[in-house]
Amino acid sequence: MPSTDRLTCAICPRPLWSDEQHRYACHPCEQRMADELDQLPGLITELHSLLTPGVRSSTPRLTTRTSTEPQAPLNLGILDRITATTATLDSWLTDWHDHLGWQAPTYRTDPLTEAAAALRNNLPWAVEHHPAIDDFAFEIRDLHRDTTGLINPTKRPRRVGQCPAPSPDSPSCGAVLRYVPGATNVTCRWCRTSWDALDLGAALALAL
């Protein structure tokens, strides 16, 4: 039977098991971060096909447009997401290199793909030694969710209410909660309380 005085995961947060006591994050959270890092380069590649409004595929299409006609404007929201994702991954990789005493990262061809791969490879170290692994996890989750939402709007996070978790200074936390369609849980970015989606619905109804 699990002990009630165990350390908790910095991300979920659920109690850490005996083989996780030396870690900041639990194994399921590590796996989720690994999956998101594996998927981000492919998602960003798909976003490139949406840079021109109205275009949903990177496959070349025949066109009768002459070379003197202006090109369609780029979707600046999509461009911002692409550049922000690359910058965020590079920033975290630089931070990890600093913690490890390594030189700043360099890239051969594709900074996004290479940074994602390097972070993925060094994730086992980070969950054990990096004190800000929770911030990293939430930033990677946000990048993954935002990118997925741009590609498939039905997966875009939706505001579902304010966090009803107890707070030391007020009856409830009150931070905005966002739910991704299809997800089984919702985690408050402020107090880190994690809710089962069905339990959260009941708690929000009681809070009204």
Side-chain angles (χ1 to χ4, degrees):
M1 184 173 181
S3 170
T4 57
D5 59 355
R6 287 179 292 147
L7 299 174
T8 59
C9 173
I11 301 170
C12 341
R14 73 160 177 80
L16 296 172
W17 295 99
S18 58
D19 64 342
E20 299 174 328
Q21 293 291 305
H22 62 293
R23 301 159 56 98
Y24 284 109
C26 64
H27 285 103
C29 283
E30 179 184 1
Q31 185 60 56
R32 182 169 56 250
M33 287 185 284
D35 292 342
E36 290 167 348
L37 287 168
D38 285 340
Q39 295 165 15
L40 266 175
L43 292 173
I44 294 300
T45 296
E46 192 167 350
L47 271 191
H48 277 86
S49 69
L50 306 180
L51 272 173
T52 302
V55 176
R56 297 289 305 182
S57 172
S58 58
T59 303
R61 297 184 301 171
L62 293 176
T63 177
T64 57
R65 176 184 296 170
T66 65
S67 59
T68 59
E69 293 181 28
Q71 298 290 319
L74 292 179
N75 186 320
L76 296 183
I78 298 292
L79 183 60
D80 286 346
R81 174 53 50 202
I82 293 172
T83 55
T85 300
T86 302
T88 299
L89 296 187
D90 174 69
S91 176
W92 275 108
L93 186 57
T94 299
D95 175 77
W96 290 15
H97 275 225
D98 287 343
H99 274 77
L100 288 163
W102 297 349
Q103 293 183 348
T106 57
Y107 308 106
R108 291 187 295 272
T109 55
D110 182 0
L112 172 67
T113 300
E114 293 172 31
L119 290 167
R120 173 69 173 84
N121 291 337
N122 289 285
L123 190 58
W125 164 83
V127 297
E128 293 186 6
H129 301 288
H130 201 297
I133 191 63
D134 52 341
D135 291 332
F136 173 77
F138 284 116
E139 286 194 33
I140 296 303
R141 184 181 302 176
D142 284 348
L143 289 174
H144 188 275
R145 288 179 175 178
D146 290 347
T147 303
T148 302
L150 287 170
I151 295 170
N152 182 358
T154 64
K155 296 292 186 180
R156 190 167 295 162
R158 302 172 185 174
R159 177 172 176 163
V160 293
Q162 295 176 304
C163 178
S167 172
D169 303 320
S170 60
S172 64
C173 170
V176 173
L177 295 175
R178 299 186 184 279
Y179 171 72
V180 177
T184 58
N185 58 69
V186 178
T187 300
C188 176
R189 287 294 307 273
W190 185 257
C191 71
R192 307 291 171 81
T193 301
S194 186
W195 302 84
D196 177 274
L198 295 178
D199 291 342
L200 176 61
L204 290 175
L206 290 174
L208 295 177

